[in-house]
Amino acid sequence: MERKDIRDPLEDYFRRTLDDHEAAPPADLWGRVEADLPPPAASPRSWWAVHRFAFVAGAIATLLLLALLDAAGRLYRQRATERTDAAKTPEQPATLTEKLAAPLPPVPLPRSGVQQPAAKALNHGSSPVNAGTYDRQQHALPAEYPAASRSKAAPIPPLPWHEHAAVLPPVHALQETPAPAEKARNQAAPPAPQRPSSEASADVLLAEEAPLAGALAASGEPALPVRAIPSFVAMVDVRPALGTLLAPAPIRPARLPSGWSIGLYASCIQAPSATAPVAQSRFAQRMLFVSIPQPARPAWEGGLRVRKRIGLRWGLEAGLSYSEHVRSTAYISRFHFGDGRPTPGGGHAPRREYAHYLNTPGGTATVDFRMEPAKDSDPIPQGEIIRVRATFTEHTSLLRIPILASCSVGSGHLLGMARVGVVADIFLKNDLQLSSLISENARVRLATGMRPAVQWTPARDMSFGYWLSAGAVYRLNRHIALSVEPVLTGRFLHRDAQGQPLPTPAAFGGQVGVWYGW
Amino acid sequence: MSSAEIEACLRGERSAQRALYERYKGRMFAVCLRYAGSRAEAEDICQEGFVRVFRDLGQYDGRGPFEGWMRKVFVNTALQHLEKQRRRIQTDSLDGLDVADDAEASPFEDAPPAEQLIQLLQQLPPGFRTVFNLYVLEGYTHSEIADILGISVGTSKSQLLRAKVHLRRLLEKSLVE
C-alpha cells in the first residue's frame, strides 16, 4: 500500500519550486524543430487548394462549351434553312409539303360549257372528296399550252388567268355556258393569288373556297367554273372534308426544343467490405491479417444534375452531390509473442510492442500497441501465438462532381437511359477510429495504462472515379420525367497523402431521380 | 489551445506551429532539463519532443488539458531518449542501505532557485533522477513507475529513497557553500 499522502518537505519543496518553472531554450531550437517537420507544401489540403480551382474552371468551361455548341447548332440550322429556301425555285418543289406550299400556276378560264366532274361536285357544295378522282392524265394540256413546261431553264411568265381561255382545248371546255354576268365577273377578276408558303396552305385554300362556292350556290348565281387543280393538291384536300375524325392527331414533339433539363436524384450505394490489408513488418513481426467484413451500411448520395441534349439520343450531364458513408471492419492480426519489440515494463515478463498496418479505401494507418503477460507468474514463451482483433470505423463525407455522357433509347413515355462518365470525389471528412482492440489469447493482455497509438494517413483530398448506370425513364409529360437506374461506381487508382496506393473496391446500388426539362 | 489552432497545426501551417512552440517552449524545456543529464541533452529531447507533438497531434482527443497531454509526450520522449543513450537504470537493492527517517527535517526555506534545483537534479544518476521526476514531479505511483520503466515496485521505492538522500546532501552542501 503506497502512502503518497505522507508529505515529505523535500518533495514539497521541489514540487512547489519546479511545478510552474520555465526555462528558456536556445534561440535556434525552433529552426531545428522546423527542419525535422514535413514541409507544408506536401500537405494534401494545399494540393487540393491548387487543383480545386482547375476543376471548377474545367466544369465551367464544359458548360460554356455546351452552350456554345448549342448556339452554333441553332445558327447552322437557321442558315441551312435560309440557303435551302433560296436555292429552291417554286417550279421545282422537292417534297410533298413543298409542293403544297408552291404557288399554283395561273388558272385558265374555261371557255365552253363543259365542267369537270370534280369541279361540279365542288361547286355544288358536295364533298370535295370527289375531287380526288380528278386525273391529270385524262385532262392533259395540249402541247401548245405554254404552262406545260415547268423547267427552270425556260420559265414561263405567268399569264392572266383569263388569257388562258383562248388556249384551252375543247376537252377542257365547260359543258354549261356561263352566264354573261358571270363571264364579265370572271374577266374582271384578278389573277389567282399566290398560295402561302406554309404547310397548311391547302387547308387554307379549301377553307376559303368552300364557303364561297356555297354562298354562290345559295344566291342563285351560276357556279364558278372549275379551276385546274393539280392532282397532288386534290389528294391532300381530303383532310378538311373528313374533319378531325380521320385526320391524324396533332404530333407532340418528341424532344423539348431547348434540350436542357435539371434533375434531383438520390442514390443508395452498397460498398463491399474493405479488402484485406497488406501486412507490413515494422518491427520484424510476422503479421498475418484476416479481414472480417461487418454488415456494411449503404452510402447515401443526393444531388443535382444539369443535362444538355446533344443530337437525337446523346447528352452531357454535370452536377454536384453529397455522399456520406460509415464503414466498419474488423481485422485479426496473428503473430508470435516473441515477434514484438521488447519494451520496458510488464513486471517479470517484458512487454512487447507490435504494430498494425492498415490499408483501407480511406487511407492507411499504423496502430502501435503493447502487450504483456496477464499474470507475472505466467511467463509467455516466445513462440506463443497471439491473436488480436482490432475493429476500425471509417466515417467518410464526400462531395461528388459527376461529368457524364448519357444516351437514351426509344420514344414515347418510356425510354431507356444509360449514363457513363467520370466522378470527382472530394473528401469533406475522412476519419478513422479504433473502436476496439481485444486479445483473443487469455494469457496475454494489452499493456495496462498504455493506449494504442493510431497514426492515420488519410487519402488525398481529391480522387477520380467512374460511374455506370442504365435504367428506365418515364415521362410524365413534356417537362417532368422519373428515372430509375442500377448503378456501378468506383474509383480509379488513388493514393494516400504519402503516396501509398489504396484499395479501390467497386460499389453497386440504385438511383432514382426526377427531371424537369424545358 | 483551441481546436482551430490544433487543426491549423495538423494542416502543417507553420505560423500555427510556431505559435504553439512559443507558448509551451519554456515549460517543456524545463521538463526536459529535469530529465536530462545536461543542457545539450535537454535541447535534443526538447527538439524531438516538439517534432513528436506535431506529428502525433491528431491523437489528442481533447478530453484532457492539452498541456498535460503535451507534457506526457515530452516525458515519454525523455524516457526513450534515456533508453537510447543506454543509461541503464540502476536497480540496487535496498539491502544494507541506511536511510534515515528525515521526514521531520527542516524545510529548505533558503534553498536556491529553480535553476539550481535543476542543476542538483542533473547531478543525480539517471536512474535516481528518473524515478524522482516521475514520482515527485509527475505524480506517478511506484507501480506505474515500475510499469513504465520495467522495474519492480521495490526497486522504484529504493531509487526514490536514494535520490532523496543524494539530493538532501547536495542541497545542504550548496547551502553551506
Side-chain angles (χ1 to χ4, degrees), chain A residues 6-299:
Chain A
I6 297 177
R7 302 179 65 86
D8 185 345
L10 181 69
E11 295 178 12
D12 282 345
Y13 177 69
F14 270 85
R15 193 177 296 121
R16 190 173 59 250
T17 306
L18 296 179
D19 194 24
D20 296 327
H21 173 58
E22 293 189 12
D28 64 338
L29 185 59
W30 168 248
R32 292 156 60 184
V33 172
E34 191 176 18
D36 288 344
L37 294 176
S43 65
R45 189 168 298 275
S46 59
W47 180 89
W48 162 239
V50 173
H51 288 77
R52 61 182 173 184
F53 296 111
F55 191 82
V56 172
I60 293 174
T62 303
L63 292 176
L64 287 177
L65 182 62
L66 288 177
L68 192 63
L69 288 174
D70 181 60
R74 288 171 184 270
L75 185 61
Y76 175 78
R77 286 192 295 271
Q78 181 181 354
R79 291 192 174 177
T81 304
E82 291 173 0
R83 282 198 301 270
T84 303
D85 293 342
K88 288 177 182 174
T89 60
E91 292 78 8
Q92 291 178 330
T95 63
L96 178 60
T97 304
E98 291 168 346
K99 288 177 181 177
L100 293 174
L104 289 175
V107 179
L109 177 66
R111 185 172 56 181
S112 62
V114 180
Q115 189 176 15
Q116 303 298 332
K120 272 186 179 178
L122 177 64
N123 289 338
H124 286 80
S126 60
S127 171
V129 173
N130 296 331
T133 61
Y134 187 88
D135 190 355
R136 189 177 187 180
Q137 298 301 325
Q138 295 178 0
H139 307 284
L141 297 177
E144 61 269 22
Y145 185 54
S149 172
R150 282 176 168 264
S151 67
K152 189 177 180 181
I156 300 173
L159 297 175
W161 65 276
H162 57 274
E163 295 182 8
H164 289 274
V167 297
L168 277 176
V171 67
H172 287 262
L174 297 176
Q175 293 178 353
E176 298 176 6
T177 303
E182 177 194 346
K183 187 174 182 180
R185 188 175 65 245
N186 288 341
Q187 289 177 348
Q194 296 286 324
R195 289 172 176 257
S197 58
S198 67
E199 196 170 339
S201 59
D203 303 342
V204 173
L205 177 65
L206 290 179
E208 289 174 352
E209 288 177 349
L212 177 60
L216 289 174
S219 64
E221 292 287 337
L224 283 173
V226 69
R227 297 186 306 168
I229 302 174
S231 60
F232 55 83
V233 175
M235 292 180 68
V236 177
D237 283 348
V238 302
R239 289 198 301 173
L242 294 175
T244 57
L245 181 62
L246 297 179
I251 300 172
R252 175 178 296 176
R255 291 171 298 278
L256 297 166
S258 73
W260 287 95
S261 54
I262 187 169
L264 285 171
Y265 66 95
S267 305
C268 180
I269 308 294
Q270 180 77 45
S273 62
T275 55
V278 179
Q280 286 194 354
S281 175
R282 189 178 177 191
F283 299 122
Q285 308 98 313
R286 295 190 300 272
M287 308 289 280
L288 177 64
F289 288 92
V290 180
S291 175
I292 302 176
Q294 306 291 307
R297 299 186 203 174

Side-chain angles (χ1 to χ4, degrees), chain A residues 1-4 6-30 32-34 36-40 43 45 341-347 351 370 372 448 450-455, chain B residues 11-12 14 17-18 21 25-27 29-30 33-34 39 43-44 46-47 50-51 54-55 59 61 63 80 83 103 105 108 111-112 114-115 117-118 121 132 135-137 139-143 146-150 160 164 167-168 171:
Chain A
M1 190 68 183
E2 298 187 30
R3 300 175 59 188
K4 286 204 77 171
I6 297 177
R7 302 179 65 86
D8 185 345
L10 181 69
E11 295 178 12
D12 282 345
Y13 177 69
F14 270 85
R15 193 177 296 121
R16 190 173 59 250
T17 306
L18 296 179
D19 194 24
D20 296 327
H21 173 58
E22 293 189 12
D28 64 338
L29 185 59
W30 168 248
R32 292 156 60 184
V33 172
E34 191 176 18
D36 288 344
L37 294 176
S43 65
R45 189 168 298 275
R341 185 181 68 170
T343 58
R351 285 176 174 172
R370 297 181 181 183
E372 63 185 9
T448 55
M450 303 296 293
R451 295 179 55 189
V454 180
Q455 186 174 356
Chain B
R11 288 195 298 268
R14 281 286 181 267
Q17 291 174 338
R18 182 65 186 269
Y21 169 82
K25 65 177 182 181
R27 271 166 282 185
F29 189 63
L33 283 174
R34 294 203 312 258
R39 185 175 179 87
E43 292 175 3
D44 291 342
C46 191
Q47 174 186 346
F50 272 111
V51 172
F54 291 131
R55 188 194 68 186
Q59 299 176 19
D61 53 8
R63 281 183 283 190
Q80 292 182 6
E83 184 183 359
F108 300 86
E115 285 76 10
L117 288 185
I118 288 177
L121 279 175
F132 184 85
Y135 186 86
V136 175
L137 299 174
Y140 286 104
T141 64
H142 284 296
S143 61
D147 286 341
I148 292 171
L149 300 181
L160 178 64
K164 286 161 66 175
L167 279 175
R168 191 166 287 115
L171 197 56

Side-chain angles (χ1 to χ4, degrees), chain B residues 43-53 77 81 84:
Chain B
E43 292 175 3
D44 291 342
I45 295 173
C46 191
Q47 174 186 346
E48 188 178 349
F50 272 111
V51 172
R52 293 184 66 170
V53 164
T77 304
H81 186 82
K84 286 179 185 176

Side-chain angles (χ1 to χ4, degrees), chain A residues 401-412:
Chain A
I401 303 176
I403 298 178
L404 309 176
S406 60
C407 177
S408 62
V409 178
S411 60

Side-chain angles (χ1 to χ4, degrees), chain B residues 118-148:
Chain B
I118 288 177
Q119 288 180 2
L120 295 180
L121 279 175
Q122 289 178 346
Q123 294 178 26
L124 290 176
F128 293 176
R129 184 171 64 241
T130 302
V131 172
F132 184 85
N133 274 314
L134 292 175
Y135 186 86
V136 175
L137 299 174
E138 308 298 339
Y140 286 104
T141 64
H142 284 296
S143 61
E144 291 171 337
I145 294 171
D147 286 341
I148 292 171

